[in-house]
Amino acid sequence: MKATIIAIGDELLIGQVLDTNTQWISQQCTSLNINIINHLTIKDGVDRAVEVINRAFDECDLLILTGGLGPTNDDYTVRALAKYYGMPISFHQPTWDRLEAYFSSRGRKPEDALRQQAMLPEGITLLPNDMGTAPGMYYYRGGKHLVSFPGVPYEMKHLFLDRFVPIIQPFIGKEKLIQRTILTVGMGETSIAEKISKIESNMADGLTLAYLPDIGKVRLRISGIGEDGQFLQEKVDEVSHSIIQILGEAVYGEGDMTLSQALQELMHRKKMTLGLAESCTGGNISKHITAIPGSSRFYKGGIVSYANEIKESVLGVRRESIENFGAVSEVVAREMADGALRVLDVDIAASVTGIAGPDGGSETKPVGTFWVGLAIKGGETQAYKINFNRDRERNIEYVTVYVLNRIRLYVNDL
């Protein structure tokens, strides 16, 4: 089954709102073996929606719409569907009854403007919305499916999983989709491709390998499509195990695991505590670590020593080190890590100092120059130099990934 996702709303086109719905729907459809062939984002408006629906149905079996189902004048989806299918719009009492019950349970009465959400195309299948006010809508005609969801993410997810999936599943073919995603860090896409080229060239029929690069990381997705699910699973697993064995320590996990989660599991297993001293990253590494529930069991804290005086007064970096070598130097990175180890009283501490840009660089230390320090109780403090010059945001994100991975590799070898 081929599908197109159409996200509706001026706010999406102008970048005022990030479209996370399309990404989530694509993931769900892939898991259902629905082949997404297009992502479209269109302006609010009846005629534009009808035009796009007409064209999209020329090459797909399923249209999935999000947005434009609210109570305001810029919510056009109901009218667009009514026009496309030639359906009259009328007041739907059961929907209004649900709205009244919804607001009554919250000690309120629905405003008159909400009556618009009970004005619906006659003959369309309504998908009751237990998470909000606007129902979803589904229609099947001539082998073509159309489903429309509100744009509010948690309402859309509820309607997709609880209302739509049971409807569409009987129409999905017998072919099964088996996937496995391997997560790597610290090795470029080209290097990975060279290392696993023999595996890729000898994969069984029906299997594909996709490279999904990110900042400092690459995801490898092995996919198999066919009617024999058990056979596919065995072949996907066989390829995955071979790749993991060849790439070794570059692999930090599988599926949706983050690098921070992988580090947390490792730190728990080693029963070690961690602290940070961040300068140019401004707390971004700490943010990644503490975004994972349970991080307090190994992460004791971080010091954002952005100014040199903080490096000196809090971390104990020597003034002469900064004067003689500069704040962005191997010596200062080592002393920052040593200071964090001592002040935070942890088993291992990492530091980073650098020039994220867009200015602040020099001929000898251009933008994108970073030093990372690693200190461990009873061990020798190490330092690593990085050169990565992109825009400021990507520089900071790359260094964050590098530091997390450097800690992971260091602890893993202990």
Side-chain angles (χ1 to χ4, degrees):
M1 177 177 286
K2 296 179 180 179
T4 291
I5 302 171
I6 303 175
I8 302 172
D10 294 351
E11 70 278 8
L12 302 176
L13 286 170
I14 65 175
Q16 188 177 38
V17 174
L18 181 65
D19 177 17
T20 59
N21 285 356
T22 294
Q23 179 187 24
W24 186 89
I25 292 171
S26 294
Q27 292 171 343
Q28 299 303 311
C29 285
T30 299
S31 69
L32 291 167
N33 196 25
I34 296 173
N35 182 21
I36 301 295
I37 61 171
N38 279 312
H39 289 169
L40 303 174
T41 305
I42 64 173
K43 290 175 64 66
D44 292 310
V46 173
D47 292 338
R48 178 59 176 157
V50 171
E51 175 190 348
V52 171
I53 290 170
N54 263 315
R55 285 193 284 109
F57 263 145
D58 287 340
E59 54 182 359
C60 70
D61 316 295
L62 167 64
L63 286 187
I64 304 171
L65 282 63
T66 67
L69 293 180
T72 57
N73 290 331
D74 61 347
D75 293 309
Y76 297 99
T77 302
V78 168
R79 282 175 278 168
L81 297 187
K83 182 174 181 179
Y84 177 76
Y85 286 116
M87 298 174 173
I89 294 176
S90 62
F91 183 75
H92 191 252
Q93 187 63 48
T95 295
W96 181 247
D97 292 340
R98 284 180 61 86
L99 285 172
E100 288 190 314
Y102 177 87
F103 280 92
S104 177
S105 67
R106 290 158 176 76
R108 299 165 55 194
K109 290 185 177 182
E111 298 177 1
D112 287 341
L114 282 169
R115 293 182 69 87
Q116 180 173 320
Q117 291 190 316
M119 300 296 296
L120 298 166
E122 294 181 11
I124 208 161
T125 299
L126 299 178
L127 309 179
N129 184 355
D130 294 333
M131 300 292 182
T133 57
M137 292 179 288
Y138 168 79
Y139 197 68
Y140 176 69
R141 186 173 72 184
K144 304 286 186 177
H145 307 261
L146 183 146
V147 64
S148 178
F149 302 117
V152 180
Y154 66 85
E155 295 184 29
M156 177 275 297
K157 292 176 182 179
H158 152 61
L159 289 169
F160 186 100
L161 295 174
D162 299 333
R163 308 295 187 216
F164 176 61
V165 169
I167 293 173
I168 202 64
Q169 261 181 332
F171 294 93
I172 299 172
K174 294 181 179 179
E175 283 193 334
K176 294 177 175 60
L177 172 66
I178 304 296
Q179 291 186 322
R180 190 166 170 180
T181 301
I182 299 170
L183 308 171
T184 73
V185 60
M187 186 181 293
E189 182 180 3
T190 303
S191 297
I192 291 174
E194 289 177 357
K195 284 182 174 292
I196 65 174
S197 59
K198 289 184 179 179
I199 297 174
E200 187 172 5
S201 60
N202 291 313
M203 289 194 306
D205 291 342
L207 265 61
T208 59
L209 175 62
Y211 295 79
L212 308 168
D214 198 356
I215 299 174
K217 296 176 287 186
V218 179
R219 287 178 294 159
L220 304 173
R221 189 184 65 230
I222 303 97
S223 303
I225 298 179
E227 293 189 9
D228 190 338
Q230 183 176 348
F231 174 79
L232 285 173
Q233 187 69 66
E234 290 173 356
K235 292 302 177 183
V236 167
D237 288 344
E238 182 181 303
V239 170
S240 300
H241 292 151
S242 298
I243 290 174
I244 291 170
Q245 187 174 14
I246 287 179
L247 297 183
E249 64 182 11
V251 176
Y252 70 85
E254 294 189 43
D256 296 325
M257 175 178 278
T258 66
L259 186 54
S260 298
Q261 286 174 309
L263 178 60
Q264 180 180 117
E265 290 184 4
L266 177 61
M267 296 296 288
H268 286 172
R269 191 164 65 249
K270 296 280 188 173
K271 297 181 180 179
M272 298 182 70
T273 55
L274 172 68
L276 295 173
E278 299 185 61
S279 182
C280 56
T281 49
N284 194 56
I285 306 172
S286 295
K287 176 184 174 183
H288 277 251
I289 291 174
T290 57
I292 308 303
S295 57
S296 60
R297 287 181 286 175
F298 80 97
Y299 183 61
K300 294 187 69 173
I303 298 166
V304 181
S305 54
Y306 213 67
N308 287 343
E309 55 264 33
I310 302 302
K311 293 180 177 68
E312 296 174 25
S313 62
V314 177
L315 294 173
V317 175
R318 296 174 298 166
R319 180 170 297 180
E320 53 266 34
S321 296
I322 296 175
E323 291 176 349
N324 293 335
F325 302 100
V328 181
S329 63
E330 178 181 359
V331 173
V332 170
R334 288 177 182 271
E335 293 183 9
M336 287 174 64
D338 288 336
L341 190 76
R342 182 185 65 257
V343 172
L344 298 171
D345 187 25
V346 290
D347 297 312
I348 185 169
S351 68
V352 59
T353 177
I355 307 166
D359 49 27
S362 66
E363 187 173 335
T364 56
K365 294 179 183 178
V367 170
T369 302
F370 303 90
W371 277 97
V372 173
L374 277 176
I376 187 168
K377 280 185 178 179
E380 182 180 350
T381 301
Q382 301 182 18
Y384 308 87
K385 187 179 182 180
I386 310 171
N387 293 106
F388 184 82
N389 187 8
R390 303 295 190 271
D391 58 68
R392 181 180 179 84
E393 183 178 351
R394 285 197 290 172
N395 286 344
I396 291 173
E397 196 60 31
Y398 179 83
V399 173
T400 295
V401 170
Y402 180 91
V403 172
L404 290 171
N405 189 47
R406 180 54 63 182
I407 298 168
R408 179 184 72 93
L409 294 174
Y410 192 61
V411 173
N412 197 47
D413 289 338
L414 294 175

